[in-house]
Amino acid sequence: MLFGLLACGEIVTLGETDRGLATAIAVGFEHMCVVAEGELYCQGFSVHGNLVGPSPLTRIESADDIRDAVQVSAGFRFSCVRRATGEVACVGENDRGQLGNGETEVSTVLLPVPDLRAKTLSSAVWSTCAIDFDDELVCWGDNADGEVAPDLRDTPFLTLPRRVGVRAQAVATGDSHTCFVDFENRVRCFGRNVSGELGDGTSEPRSGIVTVAELGEVNAVRVSGNPFLEDHSCALDRDRRVFCWGDDSTGSIGNGDAAGSFTPSRVFGIGPVHRLVAGGKTVLAETDEGWFVWGNRGSMRTFLGDGLDWGEPVPVEGLEEFDQIALGLITSCALQDGRFFCWGENAFEQFIDFEDDAVVPVTEFAIPTRE
């Protein structure tokens, strides 16, 4: 055991755990993925996008025998990896061009995304954006709301990566909108805006890219990706304060009034924030006093039990030792010293060793040995 007893109880260990090999994680809608020794492993329902599941932690084959992956991102029944070279490959469902290979056929193996070398990736429910080696923002996949190509709103999806026409330092994708940090340290967004998720003070449709209003220079931006609810966004400014805007139906704005906000609203009650994590309408913030959570309860019920969503930050114990944390709609995963942990609700058969709809405790999963 690495953590002893947590607020959620004793850690469950599945398989041999003497191989601390994990280096990157991502949580999709119905599956979770981890990179270990440069290869991709996923578990849950439909890890290949081919409606086969549930699956235990399984190594995903690749067309190019990829063994140098350094990052993974995940959406609804698809996943993408970024290699040490910057090359990108994706696997899974592809009906909206999610794999970025110019086709729309599902793939059970990782296929290369042509003509792209990326510094970072961010996948949402049906789309992905990347920052290439020229600092250009590049996106592909679902474009129903202009979330990958704001100048092509009549094009329902893009099957190949396309430059958005802006330079970016960081990017975060949601179900229906995308935000990025430009080289003036401003947050700019594009896509759907019915709940003010673009942060320009309105809920009017926007055909292009807008600058988030009333927000100074930032260090990071985070976006929710929940297909059942409207999106929201959060940013960490240079003074390490958190601001959120957009839909607040699960308390994800963090201001306690559940009214939503068309412009950034400061999250009070927490000190200077060092790490900000968001996903599935849940937000986590690490401070000197520990971790705090607000928003959707699904992925954190393991730690804080049943009850209503949290409209304001509440403290949560048991996360302090994790090196990385990834939040999904009802599932979360983390890394600690190269070991892979997950927890959450099992409504989508993400956890093959637990009963359907169980609230799964923090569980350590062994990385399978390559045959």
Side-chain angles (χ1 to χ4, degrees), residues 311-330:
E312 296 178 299
V314 297
V316 55
E317 296 180 358
L319 303 177
E320 293 78 12
E321 301 298 327
F322 289 131
D323 304 315
Q324 296 182 39
I325 299 174
L327 297 175
L329 179 63
I330 57 174

Side-chain angles (χ1 to χ4, degrees), residues 82-87 116-120 131-136 163:
R82 178 174 59 87
R83 305 176 66 175
T85 60
E87 295 170 294
L116 176 63
R117 295 178 68 213
K119 293 181 177 181
T120 190
I131 299 174
D132 71 12
F133 277 28
D134 295 320
D135 296 319
E136 292 279 348
R163 286 188 171 185

Side-chain angles (χ1 to χ4, degrees), residues 66-220:
I66 294 174
R67 302 195 189 191
D68 63 345
V70 294
Q71 182 188 2
V72 56
S73 59
F76 181 71
R77 298 180 182 172
F78 82 97
S79 309
C80 296
V81 296
R82 178 174 59 87
R83 305 176 66 175
T85 60
E87 295 170 294
V88 176
C90 300
V91 60
E93 193 168 277
N94 196 28
D95 60 322
R96 306 185 195 193
Q98 299 95 307
L99 304 191
N101 63 355
E103 306 292 340
T104 55
E105 289 77 26
V106 66
S107 177
T108 61
V109 301
L110 284 160
L111 295 178
V113 176
D115 303 320
L116 176 63
R117 295 178 68 213
K119 293 181 177 181
T120 190
L121 296 175
S122 177
S123 292
V125 182
W126 293 291
S127 62
T128 298
C129 289
I131 299 174
D132 71 12
F133 277 28
D134 295 320
D135 296 319
E136 292 279 348
L137 184 60
V138 180
C139 301
W140 65 94
D142 184 57
N143 193 48
D145 294 283
E147 64 266 47
V148 301
D151 59 335
L152 296 176
R153 294 182 68 91
D154 293 332
T155 302
F157 56 84
L158 280 69
T159 62
L160 287 169
R162 181 178 185 272
R163 286 188 171 185
V164 176
V166 295
R167 298 175 69 242
Q169 299 185 71
V171 61
T173 53
D175 173 36
S176 56
H177 84 295
T178 300
C179 292
F180 64 94
V181 180
D182 68 13
F183 276 83
E184 295 180 15
N185 299 107
R186 302 174 301 176
V187 177
R188 304 181 69 195
C189 302
F190 53 93
R192 190 165 61 190
N193 194 39
V194 296
S195 295
E197 50 265 63
L198 301 190
D200 70 341
T202 77
S203 59
E204 300 297 324
R206 297 301 187 203
S207 59
I209 300 169
V210 302
T211 300
V212 175
E214 304 174 15
L215 186 64
E217 293 187 350
V218 303
N219 287 330

Side-chain angles (χ1 to χ4, degrees), residues 21-26 33-41 68-73 80-82 335 338 340 367:
L21 306 174
T23 55
I25 51 173
C33 295
V34 58
V35 171
E37 292 190 316
E39 296 188 282
L40 179 64
Y41 298 80
D68 63 345
V70 294
Q71 182 188 2
V72 56
S73 59
C80 296
V81 296
R82 178 174 59 87
L335 297 184
F340 178 49
I367 307 297

Side-chain angles (χ1 to χ4, degrees), residues 226 229 247-253 280-282 294-297 309-311:
N226 186 332
L229 299 169
D247 177 71
D248 196 33
S249 56
T250 63
S252 49
I253 302 301
K281 303 293 286 184
T282 305
W294 64 93
N296 182 23
R297 66 189 176 92
D309 299 322
W310 306 291

